[in-house]
Amino acid sequence: MDDSLILLLFFLMLSSFFIQSISTTQQSLILPLTAKKISSVSIPKPPNRVAFHHNVSLTVSLSVGSPPQQVTMVLDTGSELSWLHCKKTTATPSVFNPLVSKSYSAIPCSSATCRTKTRDFSVPVSCDPKKLCHATLSYADASSVEGNLALETFRIDNLNLPGMVFGCMDAGSSSNPEDAKTTGLVGMNRGGLSLVSQMGYPKFSYCISGRDSNGVLLFGEVDLPWLRPRKYTPLVQMSTPLPYFDRVAYTVQLEGIKVGGTVLPLPKSVFVPDHTGAGQTMVDSGTQFTFLLGPAYTALKNEFMKQTKGVLRNLNDPNFVFQGAMDLCYLAESTRTTLPPLPPVTLMFPGVEMSVTGEKLLYKLAGATRGKDQVYCFTIGNSDLLGVEAYIIGHHHQQNFWMEFDLANSRVGLAEVSCELASQKLGLGL
């Protein structure tokens, strides 16, 4: 996860009530929320639905420990281990205090959890002077955290999750001031220690609507009559460890890209990971925008510029690169309320296509102006400039898609839907 890319907030205020599942006799736990602006596996389980409203970055609010302590954690499908800051500093004012929790238990480095269940960590765990399991986690934006693995009770309203493995972190570094507003991170990838894996749910889904609208996060299986059938693409499996391939990410196979009706003239080999594992395509809720490796990005940029010539005015400033990786920017009159018609950009996968349209293609940069003009930047960036050897599908381009992560069947499904309407139909509209 690249924390510097997270600019939207899904702030969950947890108050719950039960409704009967549409498809089974099991009950569904629904957790509605109120949004607030912040600056800057074999046994079926009842679905657990969580509404959210996004604005600045993606977090979930829950309680941890006995007695419970309220924490706010970034939700990230690109990470495995969930963790909390456990040492208060000026950079981490929001922390979990394990000393006052009766259910907290540190994990020794001799335990099976430490020795075998951490094999997918990018940095191997170690044994600290107290013979406790010590983990160091590093992220693409050069931020990092480290501390001990432990067992603790997590509570999502009245759903108790005892004995959850997490990281109790007492050191770290970050250049992102937004990190000070959260207590930690919820890992949601396919690894054995991710929250969804430890909960034992075979799948989860979410639906992200446009800015300042409601959405929903759902754990478990449920039939929704108003939801279109999902189209699925298989997850890419990699049994052999490779240095640049994340085996527990939600990796799909990008096969091609269209701008309008024009398929970019790129060989499919451009989208296939090489012998080092570099070049996988990941679906990541912890990254805002979408990033393509150099050859694909250059071809897309050139074709988009060709099809929008005379429609958009290029910024033409080689020194202006949004978030360090997005160098295609435009000018539009500050008085303009809507953007001109733009050609859709379609990402093509086996079995399904994801079409990015309209305002999702250009992002208005707050405070960035040139005279009377406002600066907008193309919301697909260059992974090479980001320093990441992968294609990343960020949550900005997942808006108004029902995104289903089916762990049991190793696939990702999606269907176009109005996520604001979905929240209303689930009784979560606020």
Side-chain angles (χ1 to χ4, degrees):
M1 180 198 67
D2 185 350
D3 286 344
S4 69
L5 299 179
I6 303 175
L7 299 177
L8 302 178
L9 176 72
F10 304 78
F11 191 81
L12 305 185
M13 305 296 293
L14 299 175
S15 60
S16 72
F17 58 92
F18 284 95
I19 67 167
Q20 201 72 13
S21 170
I22 297 171
S23 62
T24 71
T25 58
Q26 295 174 313
Q27 286 184 319
S28 303
L29 177 63
I30 295 183
L31 306 177
L33 65 103
T34 301
K36 293 185 178 180
K37 273 193 175 182
I38 295 181
S39 61
S40 160
V41 155
S42 60
I43 300 174
K45 293 196 174 184
N48 177 353
R49 303 177 210 175
V50 183
F52 58 78
H53 182 126
H54 71 89
N55 198 324
V56 180
S57 70
L58 175 77
T59 67
V60 59
S61 180
L62 60 156
S63 60
V64 179
S66 305
Q69 301 175 44
Q70 290 297 123
V71 297
T72 301
M73 306 173 74
V74 174
L75 187 69
D76 186 14
T77 61
S79 296
E80 179 175 1
L81 184 69
S82 299
W83 55 266
L84 293 165
H85 290 297
C86 292
K87 183 179 181 180
K88 182 175 287 190
T89 67
T90 54
T92 58
S94 176
V95 300
F96 168 74
N97 185 356
L99 299 179
V100 299
S101 175
K102 298 177 182 178
S103 50
Y104 177 86
S105 176
I107 294 176
C109 48
S110 60
S111 71
T113 295
C114 186
R115 288 185 289 107
T116 64
K117 293 187 177 181
T118 60
R119 60 185 178 274
D120 289 312
F121 288 14
S122 58
V123 179
V125 296
S126 60
C127 201
D128 76 359
K130 296 181 180 179
K131 298 190 182 302
L132 299 178
C133 191
H134 187 85
T136 300
L137 306 177
S138 300
Y139 299 97
D141 64 347
S143 64
S144 64
V145 291
E146 60 179 289
N148 296 123
L149 296 193
L151 300 174
E152 187 54 283
T153 297
F154 281 57
R155 294 179 180 85
I156 302 178
D157 196 72
N158 60 355
L159 176 63
N160 285 340
L161 304 169
M164 302 296 285
V165 179
F166 81 110
C168 193
M169 303 310 197
D170 55 15
S173 63
S174 174
S175 59
N176 185 2
E178 294 296 314
D179 290 346
K181 298 171 183 175
T182 60
T183 321
L185 178 144
V186 177
M188 290 286 286
N189 72 9
R190 295 192 294 153
L193 293 182
S194 74
L195 179 67
V196 65
S197 295
Q198 291 191 69
M199 289 171 70
Y201 281 94
K203 70 173 59 174
F204 69 95
S205 307
Y206 57 67
C207 195
I208 307 168
S209 65
R211 188 174 304 175
D212 296 329
S213 297
N214 298 312
V216 62
L217 167 67
L218 182 150
F219 288 95
E221 183 78 62
V222 68
D223 288 334
L224 304 170
W226 43 266
L227 182 62
R228 296 178 185 175
R230 270 75 73 211
K231 293 183 178 179
Y232 294 92
T233 191
L235 291 171
V236 175
Q237 308 291 340
M238 183 70 71
S239 58
T240 304
L242 296 174
Y244 293 106
F245 193 95
D246 185 346
R247 292 188 297 167
V248 291
Y250 295 103
T251 300
V252 293
Q253 185 56 64
L254 183 61
E255 288 190 324
I257 303 172
K258 290 190 296 187
V259 181
T262 302
V263 178
L264 299 182
L266 292 167
K268 289 189 177 181
S269 60
V270 169
F271 304 109
V272 177
D274 65 18
H275 66 284
T276 69
Q280 71 186 113
T281 300
M282 299 181 287
V283 183
D284 185 11
S285 71
T287 299
Q288 182 181 4
F289 298 117
T290 292
F291 297 88
L292 307 178
L293 288 174
Y297 173 75
T298 299
L300 171 61
K301 175 182 175 180
N302 291 338
E303 183 62 30
F304 188 81
M305 290 175 65
K306 176 182 175 182
Q307 293 194 27
T308 57
K309 186 176 181 180
V311 177
L312 296 173
R313 286 184 292 137
N314 200 297
L315 177 62
N316 288 323
D317 183 352
N319 297 318
F320 192 96
V321 182
F322 177 48
Q323 292 190 357
M326 306 165 87
D327 60 359
L328 179 56
C329 298
Y330 295 96
L331 295 174
E333 297 85 355
S334 299
T335 55
R336 189 174 194 129
T337 57
T338 60
L339 293 171
L342 301 174
V345 174
T346 302
L347 306 178
M348 305 160 68
F349 307 94
V352 68
E353 294 185 350
M354 175 182 280
S355 187
V356 181
T357 61
E359 294 189 357
K360 286 192 288 184
L361 287 167
L362 295 182
Y363 187 78
K364 182 179 180 179
L365 275 58
T369 58
R370 293 291 188 275
K372 295 182 179 180
D373 292 327
Q374 171 68 47
V375 177
Y376 291 78
C377 288
F378 193 45
T379 55
I380 298 176
N382 188 340
S383 292
D384 293 359
L385 294 178
L386 195 64
V388 175
E389 296 288 336
Y391 298 87
I392 301 173
I393 312 300
H395 62 69
H396 181 79
H397 295 144
Q398 299 171 40
Q399 291 177 12
N400 288 320
F401 283 99
W402 187 273
M403 301 293 301
E404 180 182 293
F405 297 81
D406 187 345
L407 285 75
N409 295 299
S410 298
R411 61 185 185 174
V412 173
L414 60 138
E416 289 191 63
V417 66
S418 166
C419 294
E420 187 170 8
L421 182 60
S423 296
Q424 294 171 358
K425 285 184 176 292
L426 289 168
L428 301 173
L430 301 175

